[in-house]
């Protein structure tokens, strides 16, 4: 994990470093929020996190603001993924009228039409444009034509080299970080560059494969690692335990063994579950048991860490000064299997440690545990946080202007 890469990303210019008065500003925001089947927003955190940058532009007297975001992973144009569903919430939060543009062309027409007040335009889901994920040059140019200043404030997509996060910067003279993007990288620097020790990494989620390179790279930085969730099954199998019908990535068992050996060499303490909550079925459980990790009942699936593991992990948490957490420790979405994850969230909330929560499911689990306000920093990006932990320079930061 390179501290130089973190420092390099901290050197990008912020919107506060330039004069934006009277200019047309395009902000790449992350309004990829969860909605129910009736398009009611169940969590507007990502919209709220974008408000400081939008309000800063309004207060600075910009000529216009164009907001660009994606929503979900649409295969084609579809009302289910339309950003028009968030306009009411956005208008209420900003206390201003928002113009909805269903295409780049209509956004351009709105910008060209006369009006005394500065306009705020929300562009339709940018992923309706087939060139977005391909970082298409023509789409990048079209987006650039809407602004004088490009602002990236979408940390959740900053690990993607897409047209709206990467390609556009080539065609705009001023490209800077938004307030949220700066906050994300500065908070991350705090946990990596000069952390209070011991530094603990808690890693969970379903797949070892998505976090293998992370585990290999962090061994030079962290003091302790807790591994939970379904990914711990592969590590437990590598120790010779039979995890029965649990999700195990068998082809990665040698890699798991290698990581455990490497951690031992580097004097990094790794904690795995000592007991397991298991069930005959995840969606329709009829038989739920708690057993030692080496004695999972036949035909059962591991769904959560057991009470002894909660006690052990909570003690490790209590003795740490800096905590990074990425990935839940069980199937927390199902009430019966949420106890382990929620208890660890409570344990972190009860410490004085600096806690950095890596977005996605982990942030959702902390919300469900009612502990959002008791964490030091909750990132808005799951995948982007992982890339940062691995020490990579995120593509979105590569293309922004740097301070002298």
């Amino acid at each position: 994990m390179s501290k130089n890469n973190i420092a390099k990303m901290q050197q990008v210019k912020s919107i506060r470093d330039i004069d934006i008065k009277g200019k047309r500003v395009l902000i790449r925001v992350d309004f990829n929020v969860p909605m129910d089947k009736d398009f009611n927003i169940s969590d507007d955190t990502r919209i709220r996190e974008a408000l400081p940058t939008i309000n800063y532009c309004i207060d600075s007297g910009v000529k216009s603001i164009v907001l660009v975001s994606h929503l979900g992973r649409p295969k084609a144009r579809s009302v289910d993924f339309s950003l028009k569903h968030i306009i009411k919430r956005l208008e209420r939060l900003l206390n201003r009228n928002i113009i909805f543009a269903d295409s780049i062309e209509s956004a351009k027409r709105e910008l060209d039409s006369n009006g005394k007040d500065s306009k705020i335009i929300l562009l339709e889901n940018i992923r309706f444009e087939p060139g977005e994920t391909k970082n298409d040059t023509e789409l990048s140019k079209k987006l650039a034509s809407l602004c004088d200043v490009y602002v990236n404030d979408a940390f959740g997509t900053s690990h993607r080299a897409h047209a709206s996060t990467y390609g556009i910067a080539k065609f705009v003279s001023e490209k800077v970080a938004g307030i949220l993007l700066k906050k994300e990288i500065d908070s991350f620097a705090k946990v990596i560059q000069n952390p209070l020790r011991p530094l603990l990494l808690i890693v969970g989620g379903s797949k070892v494969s998505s976090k293998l390179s992370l585990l290999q790279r962090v061994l030079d930085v962290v003091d302790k690692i807790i591994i939970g969730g379904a990914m711990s099954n592969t590590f437990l199998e590598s120790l010779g335990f039979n995890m029965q019908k649990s999700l195990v990535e068998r082809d990665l068992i040698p890699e798991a063994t290698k990581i455990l050996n490497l951690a031992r060499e580097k004097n990094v303490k790794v904690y795995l579950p000592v007991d397991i909550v298991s069930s005959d079925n995840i969606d329709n459980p009829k038989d739920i048991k708690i057993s030692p990790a080496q004695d999972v009942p036949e035909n059962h699936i591991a769904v959560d860490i057991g009470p002894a593991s909660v006690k052990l992990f909570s003690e490790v948490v209590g003795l740490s000064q800096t905590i990074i957490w990425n990935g839940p420790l069980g199937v927390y979405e199902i009430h019966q299997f949420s106890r382990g994850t929620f208890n660890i969230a409570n344990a972190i909330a009860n410490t004085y440690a600096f806690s950095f929560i890596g977005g996605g499911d982990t942030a959702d689990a902390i919300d469900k545990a009612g502990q959002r306000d008791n964490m030091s920093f909750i990132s808005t990006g799951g995948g982007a946080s992982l890339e940062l932990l691995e020490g990579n320079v995120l593509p979105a930061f590569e293309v922004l202007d740097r301070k002298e």
Side-chain angles (χ1 to χ4, degrees), residues 94-141:
L94 283 171
N95 198 25
R96 289 178 77 98
N97 288 332
I98 307 291
I99 299 164
F100 183 70
D102 62 2
S103 68
I104 294 172
E105 290 71 28
S106 63
K108 200 157 177 49
R109 282 194 298 272
E110 282 292 348
L111 290 174
D112 292 342
S113 65
N114 291 325
K116 288 180 184 174
D117 296 329
S118 59
K119 294 174 178 175
I120 303 177
I121 298 169
L122 175 65
L123 186 64
E124 179 58 286
N125 190 342
I126 192 63
R127 285 196 185 162
F128 286 174
E129 300 281 349
E132 162 66 357
T133 55
K134 296 175 184 143
N135 190 24
D136 178 71
T137 301
E138 287 310 307
L139 177 59
S140 299
K141 281 182 185 172

Side-chain angles (χ1 to χ4, degrees), residues 33 35-40 71-87 100 102 124-125 127-128:
V33 293
M35 288 187 242
D36 64 20
K37 59 181 178 18
D38 299 315
F39 306 114
N40 296 308
L71 178 63
R73 294 181 179 178
K75 299 279 188 287
R77 220 165 245 273
S78 154
V79 70
D80 291 345
F81 293 99
S82 175
L83 280 172
K84 68 183 180 186
H85 302 304
I86 71 158
I87 281 200
F100 183 70
D102 62 2
E124 179 58 286
N125 190 342
R127 285 196 185 162
F128 286 174

Side-chain angles (χ1 to χ4, degrees), residues 120-334:
I120 303 177
I121 298 169
L122 175 65
L123 186 64
E124 179 58 286
N125 190 342
I126 192 63
R127 285 196 185 162
F128 286 174
E129 300 281 349
E132 162 66 357
T133 55
K134 296 175 184 143
N135 190 24
D136 178 71
T137 301
E138 287 310 307
L139 177 59
S140 299
K141 281 182 185 172
K142 278 188 187 176
L143 287 168
S145 72
L146 302 175
C147 66
D148 309 308
V149 177
Y150 167 68
V151 181
N152 191 329
D153 212 29
F155 179 73
T157 58
S158 56
H159 58 310
R160 308 273 188 218
H162 290 172
S164 68
T165 59
Y166 190 84
I168 180 177
K170 189 177 176 182
F171 306 104
V172 184
S173 58
E174 290 186 291
K175 48 265 183 197
V176 295
I179 292 165
L180 173 63
L181 203 69
K182 281 293 286 176
K183 189 170 80 167
E184 289 271 6
I185 196 67
D186 289 343
S187 295
F188 192 81
K190 189 172 178 179
V191 301
I192 291 303
Q193 288 180 324
N194 194 20
L196 288 170
R197 293 193 180 271
L199 168 53
L200 165 68
L201 171 67
I202 304 173
V203 64
S206 59
K207 290 191 173 178
V208 177
S209 49
S210 63
K211 293 176 183 169
L212 253 185
S213 58
L214 162 68
L215 288 169
Q216 285 163 349
R217 291 195 188 195
V218 297
L219 290 173
D220 290 324
V221 178
V222 303
D223 303 300
K224 300 180 277 189
I225 301 176
I226 287 173
I227 302 175
M231 67 179 288
S232 65
N233 301 333
T234 305
F235 284 88
L236 292 168
E237 281 266 348
S238 79
L239 297 174
F241 298 176
N242 183 350
M243 298 309 291
Q244 298 295 335
K245 289 197 168 176
S246 308
L247 174 66
V248 174
E249 291 175 271
R250 300 200 176 277
D251 55 326
L252 294 177
I253 287 174
E255 289 291 340
T257 304
K258 198 162 122 188
I259 286 167
L260 292 177
N261 290 336
L262 200 57
R264 206 170 292 119
E265 281 171 33
K266 291 179 182 285
N267 213 19
V268 175
K269 187 84 172 123
V270 177
Y271 298 87
L272 290 163
V274 291
D275 61 344
I276 297 285
V277 178
S278 66
S279 173
D280 58 332
N281 187 296
I282 292 178
D283 300 315
N284 187 23
K286 291 189 172 61
D287 185 23
I288 300 172
K289 291 222 162 49
I290 297 168
S291 65
Q294 63 268 46
D295 198 19
V296 178
E298 201 173 341
N299 293 324
H300 267 220
I301 306 160
V303 288
D304 195 8
I305 56 172
S309 301
V310 167
K311 194 168 191 303
L312 169 66
F313 293 175
S314 296
E315 282 175 13
V316 177
V317 163
L319 294 169
S320 302
Q321 293 292 323
T322 305
I323 300 165
I324 305 169
W325 185 8
N326 190 292
L329 304 180
V331 190
Y332 76 95
E333 306 95 323
I334 297 170

